[in-house]
Amino acid sequence: MTDEAPPRPPAKPGPDALPPAPADAAHHGADHAAGRKAPDPPRATPAAELLARWADNLAHERRLSPHTLDGYLREVRFFLTFLAGHLDRPVDAAALAALDVRDFRAYLARRRADGLSPTSTARAISVLKTFFAHLARCDGVTNSAIAIVRAPRTPRRLPRPLSESGAEDLLETVPQTEDLDWVGARDTAILLLLYGCGLRIAEALSLRRADAPLGPTLRVTGKGGKQRLVPVLPVVAQAVDAYVARCPHALDGDGPLFVGKRGGALGPRPVQAAVAEARRLLGLPASATPHALRHSFASHLLQNGGDLRTIQDLLGHASLASTQVYTRVDAARLAEVYDQAHPRAR
């Protein structure tokens, strides 16, 4: 009799075991040597790891804004949570590759039952297609069924710009909603960047102290890290100078240009709240938001003879179709004026 245990048979590979190395392992080795990371075998990769890789790609390569990134990740997390219950098993790469149209339709049915609007449903489908395109490109996880899923048709909402007088009234009223003079000057400068230069609020808040004083042009970093040059009106530069002169906090050259009441980086909510209060005082519609000033910038340029290509460049639109929507706004305004003024329209 001996104390040694009898030899154990070789263990069978579990469900999470890596598959055998492919015959073209040398090719994969060459990829590693060239600095390219070969995708992990789909069966061995849990969905959480795939999601983390996608999040890193969105943040560092596509350079999405934190707000957009959060929305994308929230939608896919909801999808993965649904799948875990729908499939009644943990979701991994193999499960994602095996999904068929019925699985995607079941998810959309769940979202509609939760009250998701057609517009939000279309956005959810777009996010999922972006996720699966990344899986196919970077992780070797392909699913052809997602391409068959169609978004519901939704009417395209027209931008709702302010009238010229409405924009001026808003700009004059916003500083009156603040007790601190420098905060009113700050909000005025930000809103003038939106209305006078066509910036998005995130673009205005991303400016650095070193950008001021503003010159005749301003280099703006927009969506996807794309840069554009916009002209700066004297009234905009003067408003920024007035804010800098009144700001009680030390503004470091590498730090943000616009700061909050405690001196930290400013987010959009305080500006949105100031506009909401001014809107209430003026009796303006709920569509009178900071972003409406960017719409007003484009619409008023078009009404006063600006051409679409120039406006496209100033707004930073990748496609002219995004800018052409303002021609429909202008046509709608002309029709309204016509209906009000022409004798036969009464």
Side-chain angles (χ1 to χ4, degrees):
M1 188 169 181
T2 176
D3 291 335
E4 293 183 3
R8 301 174 63 182
K12 295 182 179 180
D16 293 331
L18 294 176
D24 60 346
H27 175 70
H28 285 283
D31 278 349
H32 281 290
R36 295 190 297 273
K37 183 178 183 300
D40 290 338
R43 286 183 297 163
T45 311
E49 184 177 335
L50 295 172
L51 183 62
R53 292 180 190 172
W54 184 53
D56 185 70
N57 175 268
L58 294 177
H60 298 103
E61 294 188 30
R62 294 188 55 185
R63 300 178 66 180
L64 296 188
S65 71
H67 177 75
T68 303
L69 176 61
D70 181 66
Y72 276 36
L73 296 180
R74 186 168 56 249
E75 183 62 48
V76 175
R77 287 193 190 104
F78 197 97
F79 174 67
L80 295 176
T81 301
F82 165 82
L83 283 182
H86 177 68
L87 301 175
D88 195 26
R89 66 184 179 92
V91 180
D92 59 10
L96 292 172
L99 295 176
D100 61 27
V101 175
R102 292 170 298 179
D103 298 315
F104 290 109
R105 287 176 178 165
Y107 172 68
L108 296 177
R110 165 66 184 277
R111 297 295 269 146
R112 285 193 295 271
D114 290 340
L116 202 67
S117 68
T119 300
S120 297
T121 300
R123 184 165 54 247
I125 294 171
S126 176
V127 170
L128 291 180
K129 288 187 175 183
T130 300
F131 177 57
F132 275 90
H134 170 81
L135 294 181
R137 185 174 63 254
C138 300
D139 294 290
V141 182
T142 58
N143 183 297
S144 58
I146 185 65
I148 303 174
V149 180
R150 293 286 178 262
R153 297 181 65 87
T154 57
R156 185 167 186 179
R157 294 178 59 184
L158 294 178
R160 300 181 67 180
L162 300 168
S163 65
E164 292 185 24
S165 61
E168 293 296 333
D169 290 344
L170 190 67
L171 290 167
E172 291 177 3
T173 306
V174 162
Q176 300 173 22
T177 67
E178 292 290 347
D179 295 331
L180 298 176
D181 179 66
W182 77 269
V183 174
R186 178 201 70 190
D187 293 348
T188 299
I190 293 170
L191 296 178
L192 275 171
L193 282 165
L194 274 57
Y195 182 53
C197 301
L199 270 60
R200 303 175 177 90
I201 189 168
E203 294 170 346
L205 296 179
S206 69
L207 295 178
R208 316 309 289 174
R209 173 62 181 90
D211 292 319
L214 302 183
T217 60
L218 176 64
R219 185 173 296 278
V220 180
T221 302
K223 290 185 176 181
K226 295 180 180 178
Q227 292 190 334
R228 67 186 190 276
L229 281 178
V230 297
V232 177
L233 298 173
V235 66
V236 178
Q238 292 163 11
V240 172
D241 290 342
Y243 153 69
V244 171
R246 297 175 188 177
C247 181
H249 300 289
L251 299 175
D252 180 64
D254 294 329
L257 173 59
F258 296 108
V259 297
K261 291 181 180 180
R262 297 182 180 180
L266 180 67
R269 289 192 181 278
V271 183
Q272 293 166 345
V275 170
E277 177 60 16
R279 180 176 69 220
R280 184 187 66 80
L281 295 172
L282 293 169
L284 294 174
S287 58
T289 63
H291 197 66
L293 288 172
R294 174 173 153 91
H295 291 323
S296 303
F297 164 83
S299 182
H300 298 166
L301 281 179
L302 187 62
Q303 291 172 15
N304 288 284
D307 66 276
L308 280 177
R309 285 291 183 187
T310 299
I311 296 173
Q312 176 190 0
D313 291 340
L314 293 175
L315 292 175
H317 285 163
S319 168
L320 185 62
S322 300
T323 314
Q324 286 175 326
V325 69
Y326 292 103
T327 64
R328 295 171 60 190
V329 174
D330 196 42
R333 186 189 67 85
L334 290 175
E336 182 180 351
V337 171
Y338 183 85
D339 288 341
Q340 293 175 352
H342 198 282
R344 291 286 184 176
R346 299 193 187 105

